[in-house]
Amino acid sequence: MRLDKLLADCGYGTRSEVKKMIRGGWVEINGVTARSGDQKVDEKSDTVTVDGNEVLYQKYVYYMLNKPQGYISATEGHDPVVLDLIAEPYKDLFPCGRLDKDTTGLLLITNDGPLAHRLLSPKHHVEKEYIVSHERPLSDADIRKMAEGITWQSESYRPAVCRKIDEHTCSLTISEGKFHEIKKIFEALGNKVTALSRIRMKNLVLDGSLAPGEYRPLTDEELQDLRQDS
Ligand code: URA
């Protein structure tokens, strides 16, 4: 791949910015100063450094973020966005899916479009589990209605698995990702969500050691599992 593309993908700047760095003599390939952005590098075997620091090229990166309240699930905007929390300079990172501004918990941040597409595709019914705090206690009839699927304000929501934790808290597993889905389901039941936190997507479970706003790379096992079909 071209040297300028590799550096730009790794977040060192735009193509023209990295070309300037190269012309300025900051970049070496295998210990030899690079002179031009169109030089070819083998990202697997060549050692590229910028100002003496090795560039570790990965085509795709994957971070598990514990999203705090007050952040929008977007790449940019007027309000704080989840990508503001990610210090790694990788290019084209985005949140895989959308949590409301006031929802907390598990959010995958990646630049792997094909994987995100599979995880988010309505065809695949990927499970998402939330801890829901709600205003009124849930009745058995409410839980049954959620299990059967709910239609509300001309929108149908697929069956959801609800497990009561206490009078004002439950775990709810849904397999689609419609706009405000859980809030709408509770609204349909004449109830109200007072707090919402995602704890699982497929088999990927939020790491309890991550404080709100913290993130870590996925482990190989977590990634392999996410990549598996079904
Ligand atoms: N359902 C909601 O209502 N909000 C979320 O953020 C996620 C699921």
Side-chain angles (χ1 to χ4, degrees):
M1 98 167 21
R2 285 174 61 117
L3 177 61
D4 53 3
K5 174 166 169 37
L6 178 134
L7 292 175
D9 283 357
C10 289
Y12 283 88
T14 60
R15 284 275 186 113
S16 60
E17 284 164 348
V18 302
K19 277 181 185 154
K20 273 189 205 144
M21 284 168 44
I22 295 165
R23 284 198 297 270
W26 296 94
V27 181
E28 291 183 357
I29 305 171
N30 301 324
V32 178
T33 304
R35 284 289 158 216
S36 135
D38 62 10
Q39 275 178 260
K40 293 282 185 291
V41 277
D42 181 335
E43 60 276 14
K44 292 202 183 77
S45 57
D46 289 328
T47 301
V48 176
T49 57
V50 174
D51 196 17
N53 298 311
E54 187 171 349
V55 175
L56 296 174
Y57 178 78
Q58 284 171 276
K59 184 170 182 200
Y60 293 134
V61 290
Y62 308 86
Y63 301 110
M64 172 193 292
L65 169 70
N66 184 0
K67 177 191 174 296
Q69 280 196 341
Y71 283 76
I72 308 263
S73 299
T75 53
E76 55 186 17
H78 290 302
D79 290 319
V81 295
V82 288
L83 280 193
D84 296 341
L85 298 162
I86 308 293
E88 271 70 10
Y90 262 84
K91 203 173 146 241
D92 297 333
L93 289 176
F94 60 89
C96 173
R98 204 171 39 193
L99 293 178
D100 296 340
K101 190 174 177 183
D102 56 353
T103 301
T104 60
L106 175 65
L107 193 58
L108 174 65
I109 306 286
T110 185
N111 54 354
D112 185 345
L115 177 70
H117 183 74
R118 272 205 309 285
L119 291 171
L120 299 175
S121 153
K123 271 202 322 244
H124 286 96
H125 303 312
V126 169
E127 284 190 351
K128 276 136 317 208
E129 183 176 354
Y130 293 81
I131 300 297
V132 187
S133 302
H134 42 87
E135 210 163 70
R136 285 193 315 99
L138 288 172
S139 65
D140 291 345
D142 290 335
I143 294 175
R144 217 170 27 247
K145 281 183 198 157
M146 289 193 257
E148 284 164 2
I150 280 181
T151 300
W152 176 245
Q153 294 174 336
S154 322
E155 186 69 81
S156 304
Y157 300 102
R158 281 176 55 80
V161 178
C162 177
R163 193 173 45 80
K164 248 173 148 168
I165 298 175
D166 62 36
E167 287 305 285
H168 293 279
T169 323
C170 69
S171 132
L172 190 68
T173 301
I174 58 175
S175 56
E176 56 190 352
K178 289 188 172 158
F179 187 57
H180 291 335
E181 175 151 357
I182 295 181
K183 290 174 183 159
K184 291 287 178 193
I185 289 174
F186 273 73
E187 201 178 291
L189 299 171
N191 207 329
K192 190 170 178 221
V193 171
T194 53
L196 191 56
S197 182
R198 182 155 69 185
I199 56 166
R200 179 172 66 84
M201 180 170 66
K202 206 174 177 206
N203 295 317
L204 183 67
V205 175
L206 178 64
D207 184 333
S209 70
L210 294 174
E214 288 184 345
Y215 64 95
R216 65 152 172 83
L218 293 194
T219 64
D220 290 345
E221 296 76 50
E222 287 170 335
L223 183 55
Q224 264 174 32
D225 185 85
L226 275 188
R227 282 186 174 143
Q228 248 159 42
D229 269 344
S230 87

